[in-house]
Amino acid sequence: LSMCSKLCYAIGGAPNQVAGSAASFFLQIYLLDIAHITPFHASLVLFIGKASGAVTDPVAGFFISKSRWTKIGRLMPWVLACTPFTIVSYFFMWYLPPFVSGRVAWYLTFHCLFQALTTLFQVPYSALTMFLSTDQKDRDSATAYRMTMEVLGTLIGAALQGQIVASAHVSPHCTVNPPGNTTDPWHDAASIPDPSDPLSDQVIYMIAAGVIASVYLLGIVVLFLGVKERDDPYALNSDRAIPFCKGLALTMKHGPYVKLTASFLLISTAVQLEQGNFVLFCTHAAGLRNHFQYLVVTILVSAVLSVPFWQKFLQRFGKKCAACGISWMIPFAVMLVTIPNLILAYFVAFVSGLSIAASLLLPWSMLPDVVDNFRLQNPHGKGHETIFYSSYVFFTKMSAGIGLGISAAGLEFTGYKPGICRQSDDVILTLKLLIGAVPAILILLGLFILLFYPITEESRKETKLALEELR
C-alpha cells in the first residue's frame, strides 16, 4: 500500500470520530444543562441511542454480507449512501426544539438515528481494512494511520466543541471565591439557576454542530477518491459466502475472537465512562469548570502523539504486551479523584491520553489477526469479515450504552440538579466513582481476560505463511 492510500483511508474515518467525540464528551451535559431534561431521561436517551447503534451492527453486517460487488466495491457504496443522512441526524441532535413536552422524544429519535447511521458507516469502513491488502504489515500500518487520524479526529471534535460551547457552561456567580466569614457561602449560590440565556447557548451549540457536520463531506470525498477496494484475495471461484447466521454462530465459538471481544468490551466501557462523565466531573466535583475544555484537549493531544509510539511498541514487543499501557491511567485517575489539583489534573489528562490511544489502537490491530485465524480454520468460505466487525462493534456499543445509562441513572438517583453551582455530596461522590473506581475495575478485568488471548507473534507468522500458501 502506498502512503497516500493509507492516509486517504485514515482520513475517511476521521469525521465519524469528530462527531462521536463531541457527543461523548458533551451530549450528557448538553441534555442536562441546556435542554433541561432530567438525568433519568438523559440516561434513557444515552442508553437507547447506544443500544440502537448496537442493534444496527448485526443488521448492517447481514445486509452488507449479502451485497454484490459493484464497480466501486462491495463496502464503499454503503459508506457513501449513509453519509448525507448521518449529517442531518447529527445536526438535529443538537437542536433545541421550541416545545418542551416532547424534547425527550426528539433527542431520543435523532440520537438513535445518528448512532444507527454511524454504524452503517463504521461497519463497512472498518471491514475495508481486510480488502486493502493481503499483507499483515500493510494492514497493521493502515490501522495505525487510521487510529492516528481517528484520534486526531477525536481531538478536533472535542476541541472544536469545547472551545465553541465553553461559554455556555461558565456562570459568573459560580466562579466567585466564597468569603471565609459566612457559614455556608455556597448554599445560596447552589439554589440559584445559571443566568445564562438558553437561546444564546443553543445558537452556540448549533454553530458547533454545523462546523462538525461539514467535516463529513471532506472525509468522504478523500476516502472515495483515494482508496481502492479489492475483492477477497483468498477466495476461490468455488468458495461460497458463509450464511450470516451460520457465520455468526461460528464467530461466537471462535476462541480468540471471544476473548478479544470480552476483554475490550470491558475496557471500552471504562473509556466511555471516562469520556461521558469527565466534563461533569471537572465542572461539579473537581472545581475545574473553567479548565475542562483544555483538559479534554490535553487528553486528546497526548493520544494523537502516542499512537505512533504504540505502533512501534507493538511491532517490537507484541500486541499483548502493549496492552499493559491501558492500565497507566488507573493510578492517576484515582489520584485526581482523591486530590483534585489543577497541575495534577493536566498530568492525569496527559497519561490518560496515552492509555486511551493504546485502547483504541490495539483491538482494531488485533481483529484482522483473528479474522486471518478464522480464515485458516474455514478455508472454503468467504464474506465473514463483516460478521466479525459488526458483531464486535455491537458488543462494545451495547456495553458502553449500558455503562452510560447506568451512570446517568446514578446521577438521577443521587439528586443531580441542572443549572446550579454546587451539586450535593452524593452527586459528587457518584462522579468520583464514575471517573476513578468503576473504570479501574473494568480495565483490570479486561486485561485479565486478555491474558488468555491465544494469538501470539509466533502464531501470527505461522498463519501468514499458511495463508500465503493457500493463496
Side-chain angles (χ1 to χ4, degrees):
L1 280 177
S2 67
M3 183 181 294
C4 180
S5 295
K6 296 176 188 176
L7 191 59
C8 290
Y9 172 65
I11 291 173
N16 235 15
Q17 302 306 314
V18 172
S21 169
S24 294
F25 280 107
F26 292 96
L27 183 58
Q28 182 165 259
I29 197 169
Y30 169 82
L31 295 175
L32 294 174
D33 289 357
I34 305 298
H36 291 292
I37 68 176
T38 67
F40 174 73
H41 287 134
S43 71
L44 289 180
V45 172
L46 295 172
F47 169 69
I48 297 176
K50 285 287 186 181
S52 68
V55 170
T56 309
D57 284 300
V59 175
F62 174 79
F63 285 107
I64 293 170
S65 66
K66 299 288 185 182
S67 301
R68 294 183 178 181
W69 184 265
T70 68
K71 291 182 179 180
I72 59 174
R74 186 163 59 93
L75 303 174
M76 193 68 77
W78 287 86
V79 175
L80 295 175
C82 68
T83 299
F85 301 101
T86 306
I87 294 172
V88 173
S89 64
Y90 179 80
F91 186 78
F92 282 108
M93 191 172 71
W94 300 97
Y95 176 73
L96 186 69
F99 47 84
V100 176
S101 58
R103 281 184 184 176
V104 175
W106 175 277
Y107 291 114
L108 186 60
T109 299
F110 283 103
H111 190 219
C112 288
L113 279 174
F114 175 69
Q115 292 293 337
L117 289 166
T118 53
T119 294
L120 288 176
F121 179 97
Q122 189 67 23
V123 170
Y125 171 76
S126 55
L128 192 60
T129 308
M130 300 299 300
F131 301 97
L132 297 176
S133 173
T134 60
D135 186 76
Q136 288 181 350
K137 287 185 177 180
D138 266 349
R139 293 201 305 250
D140 285 349
S141 179
T143 300
Y145 272 80
R146 172 192 157 197
M147 285 300 106
T148 302
M149 289 304 302
E150 287 193 355
V151 177
L152 183 60
T154 304
L155 166 63
I156 293 171
L160 278 175
Q161 188 86 357
Q163 294 299 320
I164 294 174
V165 308
S167 61
H169 300 287
V170 176
S171 180
H173 74 274
C174 292
T175 59
V176 177
N177 292 324
N181 57 355
T182 56
T183 54
D184 188 3
W186 283 98
H187 178 73
D188 292 334
S191 62
I192 303 173
D194 282 351
S196 55
D197 179 11
L199 186 59
S200 63
D201 293 343
Q202 175 56 34
V203 171
I204 291 171
Y205 266 95
M206 292 301 295
I207 292 171
V211 171
I212 291 176
S214 64
V215 176
Y216 267 100
L217 295 177
L218 174 63
I220 201 67
V221 168
V222 172
L223 178 68
F224 177 70
L225 296 178
V227 174
K228 181 179 180 182
E229 179 182 347
R230 295 177 172 86
D231 204 357
D232 189 344
Y234 296 122
L236 304 174
N237 291 332
S238 58
D239 291 346
R240 295 184 177 182
I242 299 176
F244 182 82
C245 293
K246 180 183 177 182
L248 189 60
L250 291 172
T251 298
M252 294 300 104
K253 296 177 182 176
H254 192 60
Y257 180 73
V258 171
K259 293 180 177 66
L260 179 70
T261 303
S263 172
F264 282 97
L265 181 149
L266 296 169
I267 292 170
S268 64
T269 302
V271 173
Q272 285 286 330
L273 283 174
E274 291 275 356
Q275 286 184 335
N277 294 284
F278 186 76
V279 175
L280 282 170
F281 172 79
C282 290
T283 303
H284 298 298
L288 301 171
R289 65 168 62 238
N290 294 326
H291 296 273
F292 70 79
Q293 67 268 37
Y294 306 113
L295 289 168
V296 169
V297 170
T298 302
I299 292 173
L300 298 173
V301 167
S302 171
V304 170
L305 296 178
S306 59
V307 168
F309 162 76
W310 286 119
Q311 176 65 13
K312 295 291 184 183
F313 188 96
L314 64 86
Q315 286 178 346
R316 182 167 183 177
F317 300 103
K319 297 177 182 180
K320 284 181 68 174
C321 186
C324 67
I326 300 172
S327 64
W328 290 358
M329 74 165 70
I330 295 176
F332 297 102
V334 173
M335 287 174 62
L336 178 62
V337 167
T338 54
I339 314 170
N341 176 274
L342 181 59
I343 297 175
L344 179 62
Y346 277 99
F347 187 68
V348 170
F350 175 78
V351 176
S352 296
L354 298 178
S355 296
I356 288 173
S359 71
L360 291 174
L361 175 64
L362 282 172
W364 295 112
S365 181
M366 298 165 85
L367 198 54
D369 301 336
V370 173
V371 176
D372 280 347
N373 183 273
F374 182 85
R375 157 67 79 181
L376 198 59
Q377 297 181 19
N378 301 270
H380 296 294
K382 62 180 181 179
H384 55 277
E385 295 84 2
T386 53
I387 300 174
F388 274 94
Y389 281 86
S390 63
S391 54
Y392 174 77
V393 178
F394 166 79
F395 286 119
T396 53
K397 278 189 177 180
M398 183 62 77
S399 65
I402 292 172
L404 289 174
I406 291 174
S407 71
L411 293 175
E412 166 82 11
F413 179 75
T414 52
Y416 180 90
K417 296 179 181 179
I420 65 174
C421 292
R422 182 173 174 82
Q423 300 291 338
S424 67
D425 291 339
D426 290 338
V427 171
I428 293 173
L429 177 61
T430 301
L431 288 171
K432 288 181 177 180
L433 290 174
L434 292 173
I435 289 292
V438 177
I441 293 171
L442 292 174
I443 289 173
L444 291 175
L445 287 174
L447 293 177
F448 177 74
I449 295 173
L450 198 62
L451 290 175
F452 302 97
Y453 176 71
I455 297 179
T456 62
E457 296 306 304
E458 291 74 19
S459 64
R460 283 182 68 217
K461 294 176 182 177
E462 293 172 1
T463 300
K464 178 183 178 182
L465 292 173
L467 285 176
E468 287 177 352
E469 184 68 24
L470 173 67
R471 189 185 178 198

